[in-house]
Amino acid sequence: MDTMAAADALDQDIPLFYLSKFWAKCLVGLLSVVCFANSYNGGFVFDDSEAIINNKDLREETSVSDLWLHDFWGSKLSSNASHKSYRPLTVLTFRISYALAGGLHPVGFHVINIILHCMVSVLMLEVFSLLFGGGACDKGKKILYVPKAALLSALLFAVHPVHTECVAGIVGRADLLCALFVVLSFLGYSKAQIRIHKEDHTSVFWVLISIVLAAIAMLCKEQGITVLGLNAVFDVFVICKLNMLECIQKVRRRDKTPENFSFVKKGLLSRISLLAAGGICMLYVRWSIMGTGPPAFTDVDNPASFAENLLVRVINYNYYYSLNGWLLLCPWWLCFDWSMGCIPLIKSLSDSRIMAPAALWFCLFGLMYQALFSSNGQTRRILIMGLGFLIIPFLPASNLFFRVGFVVAERVLYLPSVGYCILLTYGYSKVCKQLNNKKSMTIFVLGLLILYPVRCIYRSNQWKSEELLFQSALDVCPLNAKVHYNIGKNLADQGLQTDAIKYYREAIRLNPKYVHAMNNLGNILKEKDELYEAEELLSRAVSIQSDFSAAWMNLGIVQNSLKRFEEAEKSYLTAIKYRRKYPDCYYNLGRLYADLNRHMDALNAWRNATFLKPQHSLAWNNMIILLDNTGNLAQAEAIGREALKLLPQDHSISFSLANVLGKAQKYKVWL
């Protein structure tokens, strides 16, 4: 049976309707927009704060060339604090969105994400049509209609709820852009073999185009380089039609004549060599820019990777894989963060959860065996590419090559979900073929196509605000200390300090080494004048993380309030030691020196604060007041005028300068 006939047979087993290419694309695009449209007016939530609100790379004052030297969060790649996530093209699109919106207006950012998902979903229709063989049942209309299998897979991809984080969370644009160029690279590579006078030839042009698009995908997100592996698998098993079963049989018969390995003659080696050379060049350029040093993650980010026992690491990694598989199969329990105790470690073979990875590998090995050794060429092609899309894009998140900074992350499943859609559709067709009554399976699939959009709409609404997002996580991960911390922080920002204290305490109970929760709780207790407990919490925080500058500064404030001035000075100086550019700490140090009547030291500290942060109103005002109180009116006036040039609308500085001018009998001087 040839490829077209096999594709027709597959479509006949699927009791769905045919659509022309135009209407199929319209349907897929429409559903992809409908599922996530209500996220368009959401705010900046969770990681958006660091990637967009606090990222100076989006501002005009930062040179565009600096984007190529900074990580995704705006830190220098050479910094020890950098996560080494090198995605300059994604940051560039954020910068463009910022410029077009005229500032931090999230609507424009969200709309672009929705459009990108729509584009990827429509292009996936082309990918699925290619993989399932193309054509419809009527021979004269093969190029007019998409295969029913391709349409079903594209619909499943467009409405899958696991994509909500990528689309509704603005930071997910990295995954969307990466997927867009991965798909373009794959479709480009599918044209790498051309026929001239009934002979197969390699199109170097399309291979190079595919490599360039892969490089662009990698500059959007690191995962993009995996398309080179997908292209290689596609070349070997689809273009060259390698049959592993036949190869093994020929090797057993010691039949090594060149004619029996004709797939090598189709230009495979030259194309694979080009892919390998392109991949090596991409990795070399990347490493030369960002360095080879790994990012600094902690055990709370990925506890399994810090386990000393190799067996414990392997078991938990495989358990994480099974959880990712479950999220694709049943995307009902979704959470913005799966770290910090959300998934307790498996430490014993008696743990019942060990059955999950066992079930996963049982299914995977069964599919792999069929993919490699089935006598049906269509089965081999579809299963190999389904497993390829499922596994290869997931490899960078697997902890196999390097430690990653998360346990489970829904965003990394955007591309692997392509493989899930292929396998589910093919499995559906095979089950329908075996059943006389196909209604039950059809109802099941149609139920997914109804439930998935409903889940997407509901989940997108939760991503519209941090309050909704964090509260939704409590039902999924009640043991996650970060969830309680984020809820507490959100409440504190709203001025609900009593409620915030409860969540901060729970975060510390769940994770006794959660220094950020200790610091924030210590701050609230300091404001409530519960100084001794605040001091205890902040002291614990700096004992756990000695370079935690914010905690050192806050500890200094508490010690100053307790009249322990020497200890306070030491804490401030320690904070500055670990964070030299710390204007707020210099400001508080100046207040300490002013209380001790060390006026010159106070002025120097406040001058450092204004040098590091020219808009530091309190530091400017305190300098004016101190100089005024010590009788240095001329210097106070000079400082006041300097401050007003930078902060012309600051009423407190104007008032302090007016007092100085009044004492100097300059009653009619314009400020």
Side-chain angles (χ1 to χ4, degrees), residues 556 559-560 564-570 572 586-598 602 606:
Q559 291 167 336
N560 191 15
R564 297 209 292 270
F565 301 120
E566 290 185 11
E567 295 177 37
E569 181 182 13
K570 182 179 178 181
Y572 288 140
Y586 276 111
Y587 165 74
N588 285 297
L589 180 61
R591 289 186 59 188
L592 170 66
Y593 288 146
D595 291 341
L596 297 174
N597 293 321
R598 294 167 58 178
W606 288 329

PDB file of all heavy atoms in Angstrom, residues 556 559-560 564-570 572 586-598 602 606:
ATOM      1  N   GLY A 556      19.451  45.391  60.016  1.00  0.00           N
ATOM      2  CA  GLY A 556      20.055  46.627  60.519  1.00  0.00           C
ATOM      3  C   GLY A 556      19.004  47.624  60.985  1.00  0.00           C
ATOM      4  O   GLY A 556      19.168  48.295  62.016  1.00  0.00           O
ATOM      5  N   GLN A 559      17.710  46.425  64.352  1.00  0.00           N
ATOM      6  CA  GLN A 559      18.726  46.647  65.394  1.00  0.00           C
ATOM      7  C   GLN A 559      18.855  48.125  65.731  1.00  0.00           C
ATOM      8  O   GLN A 559      19.068  48.484  66.897  1.00  0.00           O
ATOM      9  CB  GLN A 559      20.063  46.074  64.934  1.00  0.00           C
ATOM     10  CG  GLN A 559      20.074  44.548  64.868  1.00  0.00           C
ATOM     11  CD  GLN A 559      21.266  43.997  64.114  1.00  0.00           C
ATOM     12  OE1 GLN A 559      21.861  44.687  63.274  1.00  0.00           O
ATOM     13  NE2 GLN A 559      21.631  42.753  64.403  1.00  0.00           N
ATOM     14  N   ASN A 560      18.701  48.970  64.728  1.00  0.00           N
ATOM     15  CA  ASN A 560      18.728  50.415  64.976  1.00  0.00           C
ATOM     16  C   ASN A 560      17.553  50.817  65.867  1.00  0.00           C
ATOM     17  O   ASN A 560      17.700  51.618  66.803  1.00  0.00           O
ATOM     18  CB  ASN A 560      18.677  51.154  63.642  1.00  0.00           C
ATOM     19  CG  ASN A 560      18.966  52.639  63.790  1.00  0.00           C
ATOM     20  OD1 ASN A 560      19.473  53.088  64.817  1.00  0.00           O
ATOM     21  ND2 ASN A 560      18.635  53.408  62.769  1.00  0.00           N
ATOM     22  N   ARG A 564      20.649  49.181  69.181  1.00  0.00           N
ATOM     23  CA  ARG A 564      21.907  48.446  69.121  1.00  0.00           C
ATOM     24  C   ARG A 564      22.650  48.946  67.879  1.00  0.00           C
ATOM     25  O   ARG A 564      22.680  48.288  66.830  1.00  0.00           O
ATOM     26  CB  ARG A 564      21.648  46.940  69.087  1.00  0.00           C
ATOM     27  CG  ARG A 564      20.963  46.434  70.369  1.00  0.00           C
ATOM     28  CD  ARG A 564      21.340  44.992  70.659  1.00  0.00           C
ATOM     29  NE  ARG A 564      20.805  44.070  69.674  1.00  0.00           N
ATOM     30  CZ  ARG A 564      19.614  43.473  69.770  1.00  0.00           C
ATOM     31  NH1 ARG A 564      18.839  43.707  70.831  1.00  0.00           N
ATOM     32  NH2 ARG A 564      19.203  42.641  68.843  1.00  0.00           N
ATOM     33  N   PHE A 565      23.249  50.108  68.038  1.00  0.00           N
ATOM     34  CA  PHE A 565      23.765  50.847  66.890  1.00  0.00           C
ATOM     35  C   PHE A 565      24.980  50.185  66.235  1.00  0.00           C
ATOM     36  O   PHE A 565      25.105  50.191  65.002  1.00  0.00           O
ATOM     37  CB  PHE A 565      24.097  52.282  67.305  1.00  0.00           C
ATOM     38  CG  PHE A 565      22.918  53.038  67.850  1.00  0.00           C
ATOM     39  CD1 PHE A 565      22.931  53.552  69.145  1.00  0.00           C
ATOM     40  CD2 PHE A 565      21.779  53.227  67.084  1.00  0.00           C
ATOM     41  CE1 PHE A 565      21.847  54.242  69.651  1.00  0.00           C
ATOM     42  CE2 PHE A 565      20.690  53.922  67.581  1.00  0.00           C
ATOM     43  CZ  PHE A 565      20.716  54.429  68.870  1.00  0.00           C
ATOM     44  N   GLU A 566      25.875  49.630  67.016  1.00  0.00           N
ATOM     45  CA  GLU A 566      27.065  48.995  66.439  1.00  0.00           C
ATOM     46  C   GLU A 566      26.673  47.786  65.589  1.00  0.00           C
ATOM     47  O   GLU A 566      27.211  47.576  64.496  1.00  0.00           O
ATOM     48  CB  GLU A 566      28.032  48.579  67.546  1.00  0.00           C
ATOM     49  CG  GLU A 566      28.706  49.754  68.242  1.00  0.00           C
ATOM     50  CD  GLU A 566      29.756  49.280  69.248  1.00  0.00           C
ATOM     51  OE1 GLU A 566      30.076  48.071  69.238  1.00  0.00           O
ATOM     52  OE2 GLU A 566      30.248  50.123  70.021  1.00  0.00           O
ATOM     53  N   GLU A 567      25.738  46.995  66.112  1.00  0.00           N
ATOM     54  CA  GLU A 567      25.274  45.831  65.355  1.00  0.00           C
ATOM     55  C   GLU A 567      24.549  46.277  64.082  1.00  0.00           C
ATOM     56  O   GLU A 567      24.684  45.653  63.022  1.00  0.00           O
ATOM     57  CB  GLU A 567      24.351  44.977  66.215  1.00  0.00           C
ATOM     58  CG  GLU A 567      25.041  44.340  67.414  1.00  0.00           C
ATOM     59  CD  GLU A 567      24.067  43.548  68.277  1.00  0.00           C
ATOM     60  OE1 GLU A 567      23.159  42.912  67.694  1.00  0.00           O
ATOM     61  OE2 GLU A 567      24.201  43.580  69.511  1.00  0.00           O
ATOM     62  N   ALA A 568      23.785  47.356  64.197  1.00  0.00           N
ATOM     63  CA  ALA A 568      23.052  47.862  63.036  1.00  0.00           C
ATOM     64  C   ALA A 568      24.019  48.314  61.945  1.00  0.00           C
ATOM     65  O   ALA A 568      23.837  48.001  60.759  1.00  0.00           O
ATOM     66  CB  ALA A 568      22.139  49.010  63.447  1.00  0.00           C
ATOM     67  N   GLU A 569      25.070  49.055  62.348  1.00  0.00           N
ATOM     68  CA  GLU A 569      26.062  49.510  61.376  1.00  0.00           C
ATOM     69  C   GLU A 569      26.727  48.321  60.678  1.00  0.00           C
ATOM     70  O   GLU A 569      26.913  48.321  59.453  1.00  0.00           O
ATOM     71  CB  GLU A 569      27.126  50.372  62.063  1.00  0.00           C
ATOM     72  CG  GLU A 569      28.180  50.898  61.092  1.00  0.00           C
ATOM     73  CD  GLU A 569      29.263  51.701  61.789  1.00  0.00           C
ATOM     74  OE1 GLU A 569      29.336  51.639  63.042  1.00  0.00           O
ATOM     75  OE2 GLU A 569      30.036  52.381  61.094  1.00  0.00           O
ATOM     76  N   LYS A 570      27.052  47.301  61.451  1.00  0.00           N
ATOM     77  CA  LYS A 570      27.689  46.115  60.881  1.00  0.00           C
ATOM     78  C   LYS A 570      26.757  45.433  59.879  1.00  0.00           C
ATOM     79  O   LYS A 570      27.194  44.979  58.808  1.00  0.00           O
ATOM     80  CB  LYS A 570      28.068  45.141  61.998  1.00  0.00           C
ATOM     81  CG  LYS A 570      28.771  43.892  61.512  1.00  0.00           C
ATOM     82  CD  LYS A 570      29.133  42.975  62.667  1.00  0.00           C
ATOM     83  CE  LYS A 570      29.802  41.700  62.163  1.00  0.00           C
ATOM     84  NZ  LYS A 570      30.135  40.774  63.280  1.00  0.00           N
ATOM     85  N   TYR A 572      24.314  46.890  58.118  1.00  0.00           N
ATOM     86  CA  TYR A 572      24.227  47.716  56.911  1.00  0.00           C
ATOM     87  C   TYR A 572      25.459  47.527  56.027  1.00  0.00           C
ATOM     88  O   TYR A 572      25.347  47.372  54.803  1.00  0.00           O
ATOM     89  CB  TYR A 572      24.091  49.189  57.285  1.00  0.00           C
ATOM     90  CG  TYR A 572      22.753  49.582  57.867  1.00  0.00           C
ATOM     91  CD1 TYR A 572      22.676  50.491  58.930  1.00  0.00           C
ATOM     92  CD2 TYR A 572      21.564  49.072  57.357  1.00  0.00           C
ATOM     93  CE1 TYR A 572      21.456  50.861  59.465  1.00  0.00           C
ATOM     94  CE2 TYR A 572      20.342  49.448  57.891  1.00  0.00           C
ATOM     95  CZ  TYR A 572      20.290  50.341  58.941  1.00  0.00           C
ATOM     96  OH  TYR A 572      19.085  50.718  59.471  1.00  0.00           O
ATOM     97  N   TYR A 586      22.231  52.515  51.782  1.00  0.00           N
ATOM     98  CA  TYR A 586      23.008  53.725  52.086  1.00  0.00           C
ATOM     99  C   TYR A 586      22.130  54.761  52.784  1.00  0.00           C
ATOM    100  O   TYR A 586      22.589  55.460  53.706  1.00  0.00           O
ATOM    101  CB  TYR A 586      23.589  54.316  50.800  1.00  0.00           C
ATOM    102  CG  TYR A 586      24.891  53.678  50.366  1.00  0.00           C
ATOM    103  CD1 TYR A 586      24.957  52.889  49.223  1.00  0.00           C
ATOM    104  CD2 TYR A 586      26.058  53.868  51.101  1.00  0.00           C
ATOM    105  CE1 TYR A 586      26.145  52.303  48.819  1.00  0.00           C
ATOM    106  CE2 TYR A 586      27.261  53.286  50.699  1.00  0.00           C
ATOM    107  CZ  TYR A 586      27.297  52.505  49.569  1.00  0.00           C
ATOM    108  OH  TYR A 586      28.483  51.933  49.179  1.00  0.00           O
ATOM    109  N   TYR A 587      20.877  54.851  52.366  1.00  0.00           N
ATOM    110  CA  TYR A 587      19.964  55.791  53.006  1.00  0.00           C
ATOM    111  C   TYR A 587      19.769  55.441  54.479  1.00  0.00           C
ATOM    112  O   TYR A 587      19.854  56.310  55.358  1.00  0.00           O
ATOM    113  CB  TYR A 587      18.618  55.796  52.276  1.00  0.00           C
ATOM    114  CG  TYR A 587      17.521  56.460  53.065  1.00  0.00           C
ATOM    115  CD1 TYR A 587      17.477  57.844  53.207  1.00  0.00           C
ATOM    116  CD2 TYR A 587      16.538  55.699  53.700  1.00  0.00           C
ATOM    117  CE1 TYR A 587      16.477  58.458  53.953  1.00  0.00           C
ATOM    118  CE2 TYR A 587      15.540  56.304  54.441  1.00  0.00           C
ATOM    119  CZ  TYR A 587      15.514  57.673  54.567  1.00  0.00           C
ATOM    120  OH  TYR A 587      14.543  58.283  55.307  1.00  0.00           O
ATOM    121  N   ASN A 588      19.503  54.176  54.769  1.00  0.00           N
ATOM    122  CA  ASN A 588      19.303  53.758  56.159  1.00  0.00           C
ATOM    123  C   ASN A 588      20.581  53.883  56.983  1.00  0.00           C
ATOM    124  O   ASN A 588      20.533  54.215  58.175  1.00  0.00           O
ATOM    125  CB  ASN A 588      18.781  52.319  56.199  1.00  0.00           C
ATOM    126  CG  ASN A 588      17.314  52.231  55.814  1.00  0.00           C
ATOM    127  OD1 ASN A 588      16.447  52.773  56.490  1.00  0.00           O
ATOM    128  ND2 ASN A 588      17.024  51.567  54.705  1.00  0.00           N
ATOM    129  N   LEU A 589      21.727  53.625  56.356  1.00  0.00           N
ATOM    130  CA  LEU A 589      23.003  53.821  57.046  1.00  0.00           C
ATOM    131  C   LEU A 589      23.183  55.291  57.412  1.00  0.00           C
ATOM    132  O   LEU A 589      23.656  55.627  58.515  1.00  0.00           O
ATOM    133  CB  LEU A 589      24.145  53.342  56.150  1.00  0.00           C
ATOM    134  CG  LEU A 589      25.568  53.475  56.718  1.00  0.00           C
ATOM    135  CD1 LEU A 589      25.724  52.641  57.992  1.00  0.00           C
ATOM    136  CD2 LEU A 589      26.601  53.055  55.680  1.00  0.00           C
ATOM    137  N   GLY A 590      22.779  56.176  56.497  1.00  0.00           N
ATOM    138  CA  GLY A 590      22.855  57.607  56.780  1.00  0.00           C
ATOM    139  C   GLY A 590      21.975  58.000  57.957  1.00  0.00           C
ATOM    140  O   GLY A 590      22.373  58.828  58.801  1.00  0.00           O
ATOM    141  N   ARG A 591      20.804  57.420  58.054  1.00  0.00           N
ATOM    142  CA  ARG A 591      19.918  57.696  59.195  1.00  0.00           C
ATOM    143  C   ARG A 591      20.563  57.261  60.510  1.00  0.00           C
ATOM    144  O   ARG A 591      20.459  57.946  61.530  1.00  0.00           O
ATOM    145  CB  ARG A 591      18.591  56.974  59.006  1.00  0.00           C
ATOM    146  CG  ARG A 591      17.707  57.561  57.903  1.00  0.00           C
ATOM    147  CD  ARG A 591      16.344  56.893  57.880  1.00  0.00           C
ATOM    148  NE  ARG A 591      15.657  57.050  59.164  1.00  0.00           N
ATOM    149  CZ  ARG A 591      14.520  56.449  59.480  1.00  0.00           C
ATOM    150  NH1 ARG A 591      13.944  55.654  58.599  1.00  0.00           N
ATOM    151  NH2 ARG A 591      13.952  56.644  60.651  1.00  0.00           N
ATOM    152  N   LEU A 592      21.234  56.104  60.478  1.00  0.00           N
ATOM    153  CA  LEU A 592      21.932  55.632  61.674  1.00  0.00           C
ATOM    154  C   LEU A 592      23.013  56.626  62.091  1.00  0.00           C
ATOM    155  O   LEU A 592      23.109  57.009  63.275  1.00  0.00           O
ATOM    156  CB  LEU A 592      22.548  54.256  61.403  1.00  0.00           C
ATOM    157  CG  LEU A 592      23.515  53.731  62.468  1.00  0.00           C
ATOM    158  CD1 LEU A 592      22.793  53.467  63.787  1.00  0.00           C
ATOM    159  CD2 LEU A 592      24.220  52.465  61.974  1.00  0.00           C
ATOM    160  N   TYR A 593      23.811  57.056  61.119  1.00  0.00           N
ATOM    161  CA  TYR A 593      24.885  58.005  61.432  1.00  0.00           C
ATOM    162  C   TYR A 593      24.321  59.335  61.931  1.00  0.00           C
ATOM    163  O   TYR A 593      24.903  59.975  62.825  1.00  0.00           O
ATOM    164  CB  TYR A 593      25.754  58.238  60.202  1.00  0.00           C
ATOM    165  CG  TYR A 593      26.636  57.062  59.844  1.00  0.00           C
ATOM    166  CD1 TYR A 593      26.935  56.775  58.509  1.00  0.00           C
ATOM    167  CD2 TYR A 593      27.189  56.248  60.831  1.00  0.00           C
ATOM    168  CE1 TYR A 593      27.748  55.704  58.170  1.00  0.00           C
ATOM    169  CE2 TYR A 593      28.002  55.179  60.500  1.00  0.00           C
ATOM    170  CZ  TYR A 593      28.279  54.906  59.172  1.00  0.00           C
ATOM    171  OH  TYR A 593      29.094  53.846  58.845  1.00  0.00           O
ATOM    172  N   ALA A 594      23.187  59.753  61.374  1.00  0.00           N
ATOM    173  CA  ALA A 594      22.567  61.006  61.831  1.00  0.00           C
ATOM    174  C   ALA A 594      22.116  60.879  63.280  1.00  0.00           C
ATOM    175  O   ALA A 594      22.293  61.813  64.084  1.00  0.00           O
ATOM    176  CB  ALA A 594      21.386  61.364  60.932  1.00  0.00           C
ATOM    177  N   ASP A 595      21.562  59.705  63.650  1.00  0.00           N
ATOM    178  CA  ASP A 595      21.145  59.478  65.037  1.00  0.00           C
ATOM    179  C   ASP A 595      22.338  59.503  65.984  1.00  0.00           C
ATOM    180  O   ASP A 595      22.202  59.859  67.165  1.00  0.00           O
ATOM    181  CB  ASP A 595      20.412  58.137  65.164  1.00  0.00           C
ATOM    182  CG  ASP A 595      19.053  58.145  64.473  1.00  0.00           C
ATOM    183  OD1 ASP A 595      18.534  59.260  64.224  1.00  0.00           O
ATOM    184  OD2 ASP A 595      18.532  57.054  64.170  1.00  0.00           O
ATOM    185  N   LEU A 596      23.518  59.115  65.459  1.00  0.00           N
ATOM    186  CA  LEU A 596      24.733  59.089  66.276  1.00  0.00           C
ATOM    187  C   LEU A 596      25.511  60.404  66.190  1.00  0.00           C
ATOM    188  O   LEU A 596      26.637  60.493  66.696  1.00  0.00           O
ATOM    189  CB  LEU A 596      25.639  57.927  65.833  1.00  0.00           C
ATOM    190  CG  LEU A 596      25.057  56.510  66.012  1.00  0.00           C
ATOM    191  CD1 LEU A 596      26.002  55.479  65.399  1.00  0.00           C
ATOM    192  CD2 LEU A 596      24.843  56.217  67.494  1.00  0.00           C
ATOM    193  N   ASN A 597      24.907  61.407  65.524  1.00  0.00           N
ATOM    194  CA  ASN A 597      25.544  62.716  65.336  1.00  0.00           C
ATOM    195  C   ASN A 597      26.851  62.627  64.553  1.00  0.00           C
ATOM    196  O   ASN A 597      27.728  63.484  64.692  1.00  0.00           O
ATOM    197  CB  ASN A 597      25.790  63.404  66.690  1.00  0.00           C
ATOM    198  CG  ASN A 597      24.488  63.779  67.374  1.00  0.00           C
ATOM    199  OD1 ASN A 597      23.536  64.211  66.730  1.00  0.00           O
ATOM    200  ND2 ASN A 597      24.424  63.602  68.690  1.00  0.00           N
ATOM    201  N   ARG A 598      26.974  61.606  63.715  1.00  0.00           N
ATOM    202  CA  ARG A 598      28.134  61.492  62.819  1.00  0.00           C
ATOM    203  C   ARG A 598      27.713  62.106  61.478  1.00  0.00           C
ATOM    204  O   ARG A 598      27.430  61.427  60.505  1.00  0.00           O
ATOM    205  CB  ARG A 598      28.544  60.030  62.676  1.00  0.00           C
ATOM    206  CG  ARG A 598      29.075  59.430  63.970  1.00  0.00           C
ATOM    207  CD  ARG A 598      29.183  57.917  63.931  1.00  0.00           C
ATOM    208  NE  ARG A 598      30.032  57.408  62.866  1.00  0.00           N
ATOM    209  CZ  ARG A 598      30.300  56.122  62.671  1.00  0.00           C
ATOM    210  NH1 ARG A 598      29.775  55.207  63.512  1.00  0.00           N
ATOM    211  NH2 ARG A 598      31.072  55.726  61.677  1.00  0.00           N
ATOM    212  N   ALA A 602      26.922  60.629  57.723  1.00  0.00           N
ATOM    213  CA  ALA A 602      25.538  60.596  57.258  1.00  0.00           C
ATOM    214  C   ALA A 602      25.408  61.233  55.879  1.00  0.00           C
ATOM    215  O   ALA A 602      24.761  60.678  54.972  1.00  0.00           O
ATOM    216  CB  ALA A 602      24.633  61.305  58.258  1.00  0.00           C
ATOM    217  N   TRP A 606      24.194  59.405  52.404  1.00  0.00           N
ATOM    218  CA  TRP A 606      23.062  59.872  51.604  1.00  0.00           C
ATOM    219  C   TRP A 606      23.512  60.307  50.211  1.00  0.00           C
ATOM    220  O   TRP A 606      22.777  60.125  49.235  1.00  0.00           O
ATOM    221  CB  TRP A 606      22.363  61.021  52.333  1.00  0.00           C
ATOM    222  CG  TRP A 606      21.590  60.539  53.529  1.00  0.00           C
ATOM    223  CD1 TRP A 606      20.986  59.332  53.690  1.00  0.00           C
ATOM    224  CD2 TRP A 606      21.356  61.268  54.735  1.00  0.00           C
ATOM    225  NE1 TRP A 606      20.375  59.250  54.917  1.00  0.00           N
ATOM    226  CE2 TRP A 606      20.587  60.438  55.597  1.00  0.00           C
ATOM    227  CE3 TRP A 606      21.714  62.542  55.208  1.00  0.00           C
ATOM    228  CZ2 TRP A 606      20.183  60.831  56.856  1.00  0.00           C
ATOM    229  CZ3 TRP A 606      21.299  62.939  56.465  1.00  0.00           C
ATOM    230  CH2 TRP A 606      20.540  62.090  57.288  1.00  0.00           C
TER     231      TRP A 606
END
